[in-house]
Amino acid sequence: MYGKYQKFFGQPSRNAHYMIYGLPKGGKCTFALHLAKYLADNFGNVLYCASEEGFSATLQQKVKNFGLGSRNLSFSDYREAEPIMQMADTGNFDFLFIDSVNYIKITPEQIEEIKARNPQLSIITIQQATKDGNYKGDTSYANNCD
């Protein structure tokens, strides 16, 4: 019923924070888009903030080529934390993807604030990795993940 992510992801938690990270050109965005479609098709409304890539031809091509459109999947290209926080506060979304926290410079404290104000919302952050394969940024991102 739920497709290829059922066994891997199962029933997603609410008010959770998940983190995806990897090296440049490692497929983070493509994986995140597939996951966003899975969540939108099966579990609720998804907002995908393509902060780093924006509404580029590359992003549009990925959505088209992989059939990743969904009536419950919305996109934004906000490049600052405040508009993302405002969209989260509308209560219209069950899942929020932020691609990427490194680009937008949203802090771990702001992520926690979004979670506190929106108990129905789960957040998936995408982060770049360092050359040694660890995620870039404050260790609080990983420490606060579920």
PDB file of all heavy atoms in Angstrom, residues 29-43:
ATOM      1  N   CYS A  29      19.217  15.469  -2.383  1.00  0.00           N
ATOM      2  CA  CYS A  29      17.999  16.119  -2.865  1.00  0.00           C
ATOM      3  C   CYS A  29      17.076  15.107  -3.540  1.00  0.00           C
ATOM      4  O   CYS A  29      15.863  15.091  -3.287  1.00  0.00           O
ATOM      5  CB  CYS A  29      18.341  17.256  -3.814  1.00  0.00           C
ATOM      6  SG  CYS A  29      16.891  18.101  -4.495  1.00  0.00           S
ATOM      7  N   THR A  30      17.624  14.263  -4.365  1.00  0.00           N
ATOM      8  CA  THR A  30      16.806  13.266  -5.054  1.00  0.00           C
ATOM      9  C   THR A  30      16.153  12.316  -4.059  1.00  0.00           C
ATOM     10  O   THR A  30      14.955  12.038  -4.148  1.00  0.00           O
ATOM     11  CB  THR A  30      17.658  12.482  -6.078  1.00  0.00           C
ATOM     12  OG1 THR A  30      18.220  13.415  -7.016  1.00  0.00           O
ATOM     13  CG2 THR A  30      16.827  11.456  -6.819  1.00  0.00           C
ATOM     14  N   PHE A  31      16.918  11.833  -3.087  1.00  0.00           N
ATOM     15  CA  PHE A  31      16.342  10.977  -2.049  1.00  0.00           C
ATOM     16  C   PHE A  31      15.261  11.726  -1.281  1.00  0.00           C
ATOM     17  O   PHE A  31      14.174  11.193  -1.025  1.00  0.00           O
ATOM     18  CB  PHE A  31      17.427  10.479  -1.093  1.00  0.00           C
ATOM     19  CG  PHE A  31      16.862   9.779   0.101  1.00  0.00           C
ATOM     20  CD1 PHE A  31      16.348   8.494  -0.007  1.00  0.00           C
ATOM     21  CD2 PHE A  31      16.809  10.412   1.336  1.00  0.00           C
ATOM     22  CE1 PHE A  31      15.788   7.845   1.095  1.00  0.00           C
ATOM     23  CE2 PHE A  31      16.263   9.780   2.444  1.00  0.00           C
ATOM     24  CZ  PHE A  31      15.754   8.494   2.324  1.00  0.00           C
ATOM     25  N   ALA A  32      15.550  12.968  -0.889  1.00  0.00           N
ATOM     26  CA  ALA A  32      14.585  13.756  -0.122  1.00  0.00           C
ATOM     27  C   ALA A  32      13.300  13.987  -0.914  1.00  0.00           C
ATOM     28  O   ALA A  32      12.200  13.932  -0.356  1.00  0.00           O
ATOM     29  CB  ALA A  32      15.209  15.084   0.296  1.00  0.00           C
ATOM     30  N   LEU A  33      13.425  14.227  -2.215  1.00  0.00           N
ATOM     31  CA  LEU A  33      12.225  14.419  -3.048  1.00  0.00           C
ATOM     32  C   LEU A  33      11.394  13.143  -3.121  1.00  0.00           C
ATOM     33  O   LEU A  33      10.164  13.191  -3.057  1.00  0.00           O
ATOM     34  CB  LEU A  33      12.628  14.877  -4.452  1.00  0.00           C
ATOM     35  CG  LEU A  33      13.117  16.318  -4.554  1.00  0.00           C
ATOM     36  CD1 LEU A  33      13.763  16.553  -5.918  1.00  0.00           C
ATOM     37  CD2 LEU A  33      11.975  17.303  -4.311  1.00  0.00           C
ATOM     38  N   HIS A  34      12.050  12.000  -3.258  1.00  0.00           N
ATOM     39  CA  HIS A  34      11.325  10.719  -3.252  1.00  0.00           C
ATOM     40  C   HIS A  34      10.618  10.509  -1.914  1.00  0.00           C
ATOM     41  O   HIS A  34       9.461  10.072  -1.879  1.00  0.00           O
ATOM     42  CB  HIS A  34      12.287   9.553  -3.529  1.00  0.00           C
ATOM     43  CG  HIS A  34      12.615   9.366  -4.962  1.00  0.00           C
ATOM     44  ND1 HIS A  34      11.843   8.616  -5.820  1.00  0.00           N
ATOM     45  CD2 HIS A  34      13.650   9.842  -5.699  1.00  0.00           C
ATOM     46  CE1 HIS A  34      12.378   8.629  -7.019  1.00  0.00           C
ATOM     47  NE2 HIS A  34      13.481   9.365  -6.979  1.00  0.00           N
ATOM     48  N   LEU A  35      11.307  10.809  -0.833  1.00  0.00           N
ATOM     49  CA  LEU A  35      10.716  10.670   0.496  1.00  0.00           C
ATOM     50  C   LEU A  35       9.555  11.639   0.668  1.00  0.00           C
ATOM     51  O   LEU A  35       8.508  11.279   1.219  1.00  0.00           O
ATOM     52  CB  LEU A  35      11.781  10.889   1.569  1.00  0.00           C
ATOM     53  CG  LEU A  35      11.320  10.755   3.011  1.00  0.00           C
ATOM     54  CD1 LEU A  35      10.728   9.378   3.287  1.00  0.00           C
ATOM     55  CD2 LEU A  35      12.500  11.049   3.954  1.00  0.00           C
ATOM     56  N   ALA A  36       9.711  12.866   0.183  1.00  0.00           N
ATOM     57  CA  ALA A  36       8.634  13.855   0.277  1.00  0.00           C
ATOM     58  C   ALA A  36       7.388  13.384  -0.463  1.00  0.00           C
ATOM     59  O   ALA A  36       6.264  13.516   0.041  1.00  0.00           O
ATOM     60  CB  ALA A  36       9.106  15.200  -0.282  1.00  0.00           C
ATOM     61  N   LYS A  37       7.564  12.797  -1.637  1.00  0.00           N
ATOM     62  CA  LYS A  37       6.416  12.279  -2.390  1.00  0.00           C
ATOM     63  C   LYS A  37       5.758  11.130  -1.636  1.00  0.00           C
ATOM     64  O   LYS A  37       4.530  11.060  -1.536  1.00  0.00           O
ATOM     65  CB  LYS A  37       6.832  11.821  -3.778  1.00  0.00           C
ATOM     66  CG  LYS A  37       5.635  11.229  -4.555  1.00  0.00           C
ATOM     67  CD  LYS A  37       6.002  10.802  -5.930  1.00  0.00           C
ATOM     68  CE  LYS A  37       4.908  10.052  -6.667  1.00  0.00           C
ATOM     69  NZ  LYS A  37       3.552  10.484  -6.499  1.00  0.00           N
ATOM     70  N   TYR A  38       6.555  10.220  -1.091  1.00  0.00           N
ATOM     71  CA  TYR A  38       6.020   9.104  -0.306  1.00  0.00           C
ATOM     72  C   TYR A  38       5.172   9.624   0.856  1.00  0.00           C
ATOM     73  O   TYR A  38       4.050   9.161   1.079  1.00  0.00           O
ATOM     74  CB  TYR A  38       7.180   8.247   0.207  1.00  0.00           C
ATOM     75  CG  TYR A  38       6.795   7.266   1.281  1.00  0.00           C
ATOM     76  CD1 TYR A  38       6.065   6.124   0.987  1.00  0.00           C
ATOM     77  CD2 TYR A  38       7.165   7.482   2.606  1.00  0.00           C
ATOM     78  CE1 TYR A  38       5.715   5.219   1.988  1.00  0.00           C
ATOM     79  CE2 TYR A  38       6.831   6.581   3.602  1.00  0.00           C
ATOM     80  CZ  TYR A  38       6.096   5.455   3.289  1.00  0.00           C
ATOM     81  OH  TYR A  38       5.749   4.572   4.276  1.00  0.00           O
ATOM     82  N   LEU A  39       5.701  10.597   1.578  1.00  0.00           N
ATOM     83  CA  LEU A  39       4.965  11.151   2.714  1.00  0.00           C
ATOM     84  C   LEU A  39       3.697  11.865   2.249  1.00  0.00           C
ATOM     85  O   LEU A  39       2.633  11.726   2.856  1.00  0.00           O
ATOM     86  CB  LEU A  39       5.864  12.091   3.515  1.00  0.00           C
ATOM     87  CG  LEU A  39       7.043  11.426   4.219  1.00  0.00           C
ATOM     88  CD1 LEU A  39       8.002  12.473   4.781  1.00  0.00           C
ATOM     89  CD2 LEU A  39       6.562  10.482   5.312  1.00  0.00           C
ATOM     90  N   ALA A  40       3.798  12.626   1.158  1.00  0.00           N
ATOM     91  CA  ALA A  40       2.638  13.355   0.637  1.00  0.00           C
ATOM     92  C   ALA A  40       1.555  12.405   0.141  1.00  0.00           C
ATOM     93  O   ALA A  40       0.362  12.646   0.358  1.00  0.00           O
ATOM     94  CB  ALA A  40       3.077  14.293  -0.493  1.00  0.00           C
ATOM     95  N   ASP A  41       1.947  11.338  -0.507  1.00  0.00           N
ATOM     96  CA  ASP A  41       0.969  10.394  -1.055  1.00  0.00           C
ATOM     97  C   ASP A  41       0.293   9.549   0.017  1.00  0.00           C
ATOM     98  O   ASP A  41      -0.806   9.038  -0.208  1.00  0.00           O
ATOM     99  CB  ASP A  41       1.641   9.454  -2.064  1.00  0.00           C
ATOM    100  CG  ASP A  41       1.950  10.121  -3.385  1.00  0.00           C
ATOM    101  OD1 ASP A  41       1.457  11.236  -3.637  1.00  0.00           O
ATOM    102  OD2 ASP A  41       2.707   9.517  -4.170  1.00  0.00           O
ATOM    103  N   ASN A  42       0.932   9.398   1.170  1.00  0.00           N
ATOM    104  CA  ASN A  42       0.438   8.452   2.163  1.00  0.00           C
ATOM    105  C   ASN A  42       0.104   9.020   3.542  1.00  0.00           C
ATOM    106  O   ASN A  42      -0.659   8.399   4.269  1.00  0.00           O
ATOM    107  CB  ASN A  42       1.460   7.324   2.346  1.00  0.00           C
ATOM    108  CG  ASN A  42       1.659   6.535   1.084  1.00  0.00           C
ATOM    109  OD1 ASN A  42       0.772   5.808   0.657  1.00  0.00           O
ATOM    110  ND2 ASN A  42       2.820   6.691   0.459  1.00  0.00           N
ATOM    111  N   PHE A  43       0.683  10.174   3.901  1.00  0.00           N
ATOM    112  CA  PHE A  43       0.561  10.602   5.290  1.00  0.00           C
ATOM    113  C   PHE A  43       0.174  12.051   5.517  1.00  0.00           C
ATOM    114  O   PHE A  43       0.002  12.456   6.665  1.00  0.00           O
ATOM    115  CB  PHE A  43       1.866  10.307   6.036  1.00  0.00           C
ATOM    116  CG  PHE A  43       2.214   8.846   6.046  1.00  0.00           C
ATOM    117  CD1 PHE A  43       3.214   8.362   5.239  1.00  0.00           C
ATOM    118  CD2 PHE A  43       1.525   7.956   6.855  1.00  0.00           C
ATOM    119  CE1 PHE A  43       3.548   7.012   5.236  1.00  0.00           C
ATOM    120  CE2 PHE A  43       1.835   6.601   6.857  1.00  0.00           C
ATOM    121  CZ  PHE A  43       2.851   6.131   6.048  1.00  0.00           C
TER     122      PHE A  43
END
